[in-house]
Amino acid sequence: MPAQLPDNLKFYQKRLMPMRHARLISLLLALAAPAPVLAETYEHQLANGLRIIVKEDRRAPTAAHMVWYRAGSMDETNGTTGVAHVLEHMMFKGTPSAGPGEFNRRVAAAGGRDNAFTGHDYTAYFQQVPKQKLSEMMQLEADRMRHLTLDAQEFAQEIRVVMEERRLRTEDQPQALLFEQLSAVAFQAHPYRVPVIGWMNDLENMTVNDARAWYEHWYAPNNAYVVVVGDVDHQTVFAAAEQYYGPLPARPLPGRKPQDEPVQTGIRRLTVKAPAELPVVMMAYKVPVLRDVDQDVEPYALEMLSAVLAGHEAARFTNHLIRQQRLAVDATASYDSTRRGPGVFHLYGSPSEGKTRADLESGLRAEIALVQAQGVTPDELARAKAQLIAGQIYKLDSIFAQAMEIGQLESVGIPNAQNRRMIEKLQAVTAEQIQAVARKYFRDEQLTVAELDPQPLPIAPRARSPFAPRH
C-alpha cells in the first residue's frame, strides 16, 4: 500500500542514531583517509525524455527499482492540496491490463516488496525484488505511467482512506499538528506552507477529476526518471527500459513559476492547544539550501552545525540541556540541505518536569549564542564529521538506501554523481564556517517559534475508522 512521507515525518525520523564509543574512535581515525569510494552510476536517456540511472551492486541477488516523478505537493494549487498524495494512492488501483490490487499481488508473488511515498518535491514508487523479476517490475510501472484507471467508485473509497490517514497521523498527533502549523506560519507565499497530505477541506471536496488532471499534467516519461540499484548489468537494464518505457510518448508539461518566499522581517509566534502528555517547543530559522555543489559553503556548514548540536550522544543538546542542566527530556536539531524550495533549520524539544516552554526556548537560544560567540572545538568538529560521513558510508550497506540517495538528489536537480564531491565538501568544513552561519542566520528576523500547550488526554481513544490506512 502507498505511504505518505511528508517533511514532518522526515523531521522526526532524522535523528542520527547514537554510536558506540569504539566505532566512533575508528571513524575519527578514518577521517584522515580520502572520501569513501562510491560505485559508479550509469545513465541512459530514452527518446521520450525518461532518464535511467543504474548502479551495479552485486553483493546480493536483488534489485531495487524506483520511479521518481518531479511533482510533489509544492506543485499543487489552492483548492486541491493533497492531490499529489491522493494520486499516489490511486496508482495502486489498476490499469486495463492489471486490475485493482494486482500490482501488489504480483510483487508479493515475485518475493518482493513495494510501496510509494509523496513529499513536497517529488512522488516516488519502488519495488525491491529478486533480480530476475526486474523486467516484470518495469513492465508494471510503465503500464501505470500511462494507462492508469481512475474509477470514480475507487476514488470515493480511497479519498476516505486519505482523510482518515490525515486524522491518524496529523490531527491525532500533537507534535505533527504543531509542525504543520509551524510550517503554515513560517511560510507565507511558498507552497511549503501547505502539508503534503493536504488540508482536510480540500480532501473533503476533491473529485476523481482533480486526480485525473494531476495525472495527465505530471505523469509523463519526460517528467520522471528511473533508478535501479542491485545485482544487474546496466546495459541489460537499459535494453529493458527501452522495451517497456520507450514506447510511452512524451507530453507537454505545465509551466512552473517561481514562488519565492518574501523576506521575513520579524519573529513569528504561535501556540497550538492539543491533547498531549508533554509541552513542546519548535523553532524554525530560514537558511539557504544546496544549489551549487562546488561553490556553496553555507549548507555544508549548517549540516555540521546540526551534528554539533544534536548529532550524537555527546552532542551539545544532550550534554548541556538534558544531562547537565536537566532542562529538557528531549532536544534535537534538524536541517535538510537538499530541497527544491527554501531551507529551514529546526530546533525542537520538550521541557523537563518543573521547567517551562520559555525555559527551554531560552536554553536552545543559549546554545546557539555559545556557537555564535565561541565557535566549536576541534573535537566537536571531528565528532560531527565522523557522524555525517559515517551516515554516508553506512548507506552503502543497503541497496534500497543507495537508490533513495540517488533519487532524492536528482529530485532537487543535483546530479547523483556529485555525491562524492558533497562528502569531500563536508569533510572540508571549518569551525570558522560553522560560527559564521550561526551568526548570519540565527536571528529573530528569520525565526518562527511554535509551542504546544498540552491539554488533557481523552479518556478513551478515538474509534478506528473502517477506512484507516493499512500501511
Side-chain angles (χ1 to χ4, degrees):
M1 294 296 295
Q4 180 203 19
L5 185 66
D7 282 358
N8 62 344
L9 181 58
K10 290 189 288 184
F11 172 67
Y12 296 126
Q13 291 181 337
K14 197 183 178 182
R15 298 181 185 180
L16 301 175
M17 296 297 292
M19 301 169 58
R20 295 183 184 273
H21 184 63
R23 179 181 290 176
L24 178 59
I25 292 174
S26 66
L27 287 167
L28 289 169
L29 293 173
L31 281 173
V37 177
L38 304 179
E40 180 181 1
T41 57
Y42 302 90
E43 297 191 28
H44 175 64
Q45 183 163 313
L46 307 184
N48 58 16
L50 181 70
R51 289 175 60 223
I52 315 297
I53 305 168
V54 180
K55 185 176 182 182
E56 299 177 358
D57 185 331
R58 303 187 183 281
R59 291 176 293 174
T62 64
H65 173 246
M66 304 190 77
V67 179
W68 294 73
Y69 293 91
R70 295 184 185 88
S73 65
M74 71 172 285
D75 301 296
E76 298 166 349
T77 56
N78 289 341
T80 58
T81 64
V83 68
H85 176 231
V86 171
L87 195 277
E88 174 216 308
H89 277 243
M90 293 303 296
M91 284 285 279
F92 291 84
K93 296 301 180 179
T95 67
S97 60
E102 181 66 19
F103 196 111
N104 300 112
R105 287 192 291 270
R106 289 178 64 175
V107 174
R113 64 186 183 98
D114 72 310
N115 217 315
F117 48 89
T118 304
H120 282 301
D121 301 331
Y122 51 73
T123 310
Y125 303 82
F126 73 85
Q127 306 85 42
Q128 189 162 354
V129 294
K131 63 178 183 178
Q132 62 269 23
K133 297 294 184 177
L134 176 60
S135 61
E136 182 180 354
M137 300 303 106
M138 287 187 161
Q139 182 181 17
L140 287 169
E141 282 287 10
D143 184 31
R144 66 179 178 179
M145 182 180 283
R146 178 63 284 184
H147 305 296
L148 183 65
T149 299
L150 285 161
D151 178 78
Q153 289 186 338
E154 290 282 357
F155 179 87
Q157 177 174 325
E158 202 62 29
I159 195 67
R160 294 187 180 95
V161 173
V162 175
M163 286 190 287
E164 183 62 15
E165 182 178 340
R166 177 179 167 80
R167 294 187 188 98
L168 286 172
R169 298 182 178 178
T170 300
E171 296 176 2
D172 290 352
Q173 301 296 325
Q175 294 180 3
L177 187 64
L178 183 67
F179 186 85
E180 178 181 270
Q181 293 298 309
L182 171 68
S183 298
V185 173
F187 294 109
Q188 296 183 335
H190 195 275
Y192 279 0
R193 72 187 186 279
V194 175
V196 172
I197 201 167
W199 299 117
M200 183 63 84
N201 184 252
D202 286 347
L203 298 176
E204 291 170 341
N205 291 283
M206 194 171 292
T207 70
V208 69
N209 288 331
D210 295 321
R212 183 175 292 111
W214 183 264
Y215 179 70
E216 293 295 334
H217 284 157
W218 299 113
Y219 278 54
N222 47 314
N223 193 45
Y225 52 96
V226 172
V227 178
V228 176
V229 177
D231 187 11
V232 297
D233 173 76
H234 65 279
Q235 293 292 358
T236 303
V237 175
F238 293 159
E242 289 281 4
Q243 178 182 354
Y244 296 113
Y245 291 108
L248 303 179
R251 299 200 310 278
L253 300 172
R256 284 187 169 105
K257 295 183 178 180
Q259 301 183 71
D260 294 336
E261 179 70 14
V263 175
Q264 187 171 335
T265 56
I267 190 170
R268 299 171 186 166
R269 290 186 176 274
L270 67 142
T271 301
V272 171
K273 293 179 179 289
E277 294 182 355
L278 295 172
V280 176
V281 175
M282 290 184 184
M283 304 172 66
Y285 290 91
K286 303 283 181 58
V287 295
V289 294
L290 195 60
R291 293 290 182 246
D292 188 315
V293 171
D294 280 316
Q295 298 301 317
D296 286 348
V297 172
E298 293 177 334
Y300 302 108
L302 289 163
E303 290 276 10
M304 284 296 169
L305 176 58
S306 177
V308 166
L309 295 175
H312 52 85
E313 285 185 327
R316 289 194 177 198
F317 283 0
T318 301
N319 263 345
H320 298 170
L321 301 180
I322 298 176
R323 292 175 182 159
Q324 296 176 13
Q325 301 174 32
R326 300 189 183 277
L327 182 59
V329 295
D330 184 27
T332 193
S334 177
Y335 168 66
D336 185 357
S337 64
T338 53
R339 309 175 84 188
R340 278 171 56 193
V344 177
F345 195 109
H346 291 100
L347 307 179
Y348 163 91
S350 290
S352 301
E353 186 176 359
K355 302 296 183 180
T356 67
R357 301 190 299 270
D359 292 334
L360 178 55
E361 180 183 336
S362 296
L364 293 169
R365 285 175 174 272
E367 292 302 318
I368 295 295
L370 277 175
V371 177
Q372 292 171 330
Q374 302 175 9
V376 299
T377 68
D379 179 66
E380 285 182 304
L381 182 56
R383 284 175 177 267
K385 288 183 178 181
Q387 191 75 12
L388 287 175
I389 304 306
Q392 296 295 324
I393 294 172
Y394 294 154
K395 287 178 185 177
L396 302 179
D397 291 337
S398 166
I399 285 175
F400 179 72
Q402 293 177 69
M404 280 289 297
E405 177 80 357
I406 293 169
Q408 288 180 321
L409 288 178
E410 293 284 344
S411 74
V412 297
I414 298 176
N416 69 89
Q418 290 194 288
N419 188 39
R420 181 183 288 107
R421 180 59 178 152
M422 292 170 65
I423 294 175
E424 293 171 353
K425 294 280 283 187
L426 281 171
Q427 288 178 317
V429 170
T430 67
E432 291 75 18
Q433 290 168 344
I434 295 174
Q435 186 177 29
V437 294
R439 289 174 170 173
K440 182 175 180 180
Y441 294 107
F442 288 75
R443 308 193 315 268
D444 278 3
E445 305 95 278
Q446 302 179 141
L447 172 63
T448 303
V449 180
E451 297 184 4
L452 176 64
D453 183 1
Q455 304 299 298
L457 295 170
I459 297 176
R462 183 171 63 85
R464 184 175 176 86
S465 165
F467 297 103
R470 296 183 295 276
H471 52 273

